[in-house]
């Protein structure tokens, strides 16, 4: 009986290794924003233009470093008195989505948050405010931001 234990252990380890390798699909997504910098500066004036445009209208947002995001506003909704959300879909970037929200704080200051994402690509951008109070699009890996809920 003692001779079977090493073989059983080796068989179990082999099964674990096979299932571990099957978890990685081995497919890498292409980078969509490879030719753009990892940080792009944004002005509040340019971000606010999204919220003054109705759904169905075409808009071109010009940010620093020659980054132009053009597309159609697919929705522009006031969810609460202090929260408005808009979505811009860009055919120039293979239907990449720029989802952005504007929150009016208690002290009447405005905070913007958002992401530029396409699930078919490896990279995207997240809108954040830096320590100086300026907005920036910071490059992200989409797989780290979007959870895959599909079961194989």
């Amino acid at each position: 009986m003692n001779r079977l234990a090493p073989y059983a252990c080796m068989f179990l380890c082999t099964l674990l290794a096979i299932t571990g390798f099957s978890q990685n699909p081995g497919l890498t997504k292409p980078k969509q924003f490879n030719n753009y910098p990892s940080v792009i500066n944004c002005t509040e004036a340019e971000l606010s233009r999204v919220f003054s445009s109705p759904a169905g209208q075409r808009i071109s947002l010009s940010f620093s470093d020659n980054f132009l995001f053009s597309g159609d506003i697919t929705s522009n909704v006031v969810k609460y008195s202090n929260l408005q959300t808009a979505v811009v879909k860009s055919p120039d970037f293979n239907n990449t989505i720029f989802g952005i929200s504007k929150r009016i704080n208690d002290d009447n200051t405005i905070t913007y948050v958002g992401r530029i994402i396409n699930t078919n690509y490896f990279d995207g951008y997240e809108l954040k405010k830096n320590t100086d109070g300026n907005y920036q699009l910071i490059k992200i890996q989409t797989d780290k931001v979007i959870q895959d809920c599909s079961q194989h």
Side-chain angles (χ1 to χ4, degrees):
M1 191 72 168
N2 287 338
R3 292 184 168 224
L4 292 178
Y7 294 115
C9 185
M10 187 173 64
F11 179 71
L12 182 62
C13 288
T14 303
L15 284 178
L16 288 173
I18 290 171
T19 58
F21 285 119
S22 68
Q23 296 295 322
N24 185 2
L27 302 175
T28 57
K29 295 179 182 179
K31 291 183 178 181
Q32 185 173 29
F33 299 108
N34 204 25
N35 295 329
Y36 295 97
S38 59
V39 177
I40 297 173
N41 295 313
C42 307
T43 64
E44 288 189 46
E46 197 68 10
L47 295 172
S48 69
R49 288 185 49 233
V50 175
F51 300 101
S52 61
S53 303
Q57 183 174 339
R58 183 133 177 105
I59 190 168
S60 291
L61 301 169
S62 180
F63 301 117
S64 72
D65 300 312
N66 297 322
F67 183 70
L68 181 69
F69 193 88
S70 299
D72 299 318
I73 297 179
T74 59
S75 71
N76 191 345
V77 178
V78 177
K79 295 191 178 209
Y80 304 103
S81 61
N82 65 342
L83 181 63
Q84 185 174 0
T85 300
V87 176
V88 181
K89 187 175 185 180
S90 176
D92 299 338
F93 286 106
N94 302 312
N95 294 323
T96 295
I97 302 288
F98 182 22
I100 182 170
S101 294
K102 174 178 87 169
R103 184 182 72 222
I104 301 172
N105 303 313
D106 292 337
D107 60 356
N108 285 330
T109 59
I110 295 175
T111 302
Y112 296 100
V113 294
R115 289 189 178 131
I116 298 176
I117 289 182
N118 188 328
T119 57
N120 297 324
Y121 290 92
F122 176 79
D123 55 355
Y125 284 100
E126 185 169 15
L127 182 65
K128 290 189 175 185
K129 195 178 223 183
N130 66 13
T131 55
D132 296 333
N134 299 317
Y135 285 97
Q136 296 177 320
L137 289 167
I138 299 172
K139 198 174 281 189
I140 57 171
Q141 295 177 14
T142 56
D143 289 345
K144 291 187 176 182
V145 177
I146 301 171
Q147 293 183 358
D148 183 14
C149 298
S150 64
Q151 295 183 6
H152 301 281

